[in-house]
Amino acid sequence: SHRSSVSSLGMSEDDWSMALELEAPPIYYNKADYIQTASGNKVSRNSVLCGSQNITLVGNSVIMPGTVLRGDLQLLKIGRHVIVGENCVLRPSYKKYKGNIAFFPMTIGDYVTVGAKSVVCAAHIGSCVNIGENCIISKRCILKDNSMVLPDTILPPDTIVPPLTVFGGNPGVYLGDLPESQQLVQKQHAITEYKRFLPNLKSAAA
């Protein structure tokens, strides 16, 4: 478990997160440029949430400027500590049935990071998944828990990325395995990215 993995290293959880936070300098944002919800989500006013009634952000997630969430097509459920970089598109996938197009809901687990300028049309993304910058995750892809997609990858439609694997390239293919510790590493990475995203004190005072 997360707790036992950390204690086996002789570090408390607080020591562990402090050590990681020291490596990551804060990223300051202008408070007026973001909407902060009661559940800790920070959503850029320069992002576009289409069909916002169909979009669920569970909590402590960040949606950066220029990102488009297409909740107008189908339900879009995003878990905790999900960091979506600048100029991304999250678009539910579809399938054609007898000439009609049917869109599927998109679910994203917890502790997921999506790099800038990535287009994500997956059916399902598990928890503790790391998607690099400039990726295209094509329609109906499934990214299992604790997996990784390298920057500039184009995953073809219906690709399944198994747990603890790395995919990369164009077209995106299996490149190797990740250690069991990837779950802890990605969880801490997502939490650290959230914690280091702080309001600029000048803008907060203004």
Side-chain angles (χ1 to χ4, degrees):
S1 78
H2 165 60
R3 199 170 289 275
S4 60
S5 321
V6 172
S7 58
S8 67
L9 295 170
M11 299 170 80
S12 73
E13 288 205 40
D14 288 343
D15 292 341
W16 182 255
S17 44
M18 277 302 292
L20 281 156
E21 278 170 33
L22 289 174
E23 294 170 25
I27 297 171
Y28 292 107
Y29 66 92
N30 187 337
K31 204 171 181 185
D33 293 341
Y34 280 77
I35 298 163
Q36 179 151 350
T37 70
S39 54
N41 297 308
K42 298 175 182 183
V43 180
S44 169
R45 293 183 186 275
N46 291 322
S47 62
V48 181
L49 275 60
C50 306
S52 54
Q53 71 279 6
N54 289 333
I55 299 170
T56 307
L57 294 163
V58 176
N60 290 8
S61 289
V62 178
I63 307 296
M64 299 278 192
T67 285
V68 179
L69 273 56
R70 294 296 306 272
D72 56 320
L73 300 173
Q74 247 296 0
L75 299 175
L76 194 51
K77 186 176 183 217
I78 298 172
R80 291 184 185 282
H81 286 101
V82 175
I83 315 293
V84 183
E86 294 188 10
N87 302 311
C88 290
V89 178
L90 269 55
R91 188 175 191 273
S93 56
Y94 65 88
K95 196 161 197 171
K96 289 181 180 170
Y97 291 105
K98 299 177 181 173
N100 295 322
I101 291 180
F103 281 90
F104 303 116
M106 180 192 288
T107 56
I108 298 176
D110 302 328
Y111 311 109
V112 173
T113 50
V114 180
K117 299 192 282 292
S118 287
V119 177
V120 179
C121 302
H124 177 76
I125 296 173
S127 291
C128 300
V129 174
N130 183 338
I131 297 171
E133 296 188 354
N134 298 308
C135 289
I136 296 176
I137 311 296
S138 299
K139 55 185 183 282
R140 300 183 303 275
C141 286
I142 295 175
L143 281 59
K144 303 277 193 174
D145 294 351
N146 314 318
S147 59
M148 181 184 291
V149 178
L150 298 180
D152 305 307
T153 298
I154 299 181
L155 284 186
D158 301 299
T159 302
I160 295 177
V161 178
L164 295 171
T165 62
V166 181
F167 272 56
N170 174 15
V173 292
Y174 166 79
L175 294 178
D177 294 320
L178 290 160
E180 291 284 333
S181 59
Q182 176 63 19
Q183 179 179 4
L184 173 64
V185 169
Q186 175 62 17
K187 184 176 181 181
Q188 289 291 350
H189 172 58
I191 291 172
T192 302
E193 287 300 296
Y194 178 79
K195 282 185 176 173
R196 69 192 282 233
F197 195 66
L198 298 168
N200 185 319
L201 293 175
K202 288 178 186 166
S203 72

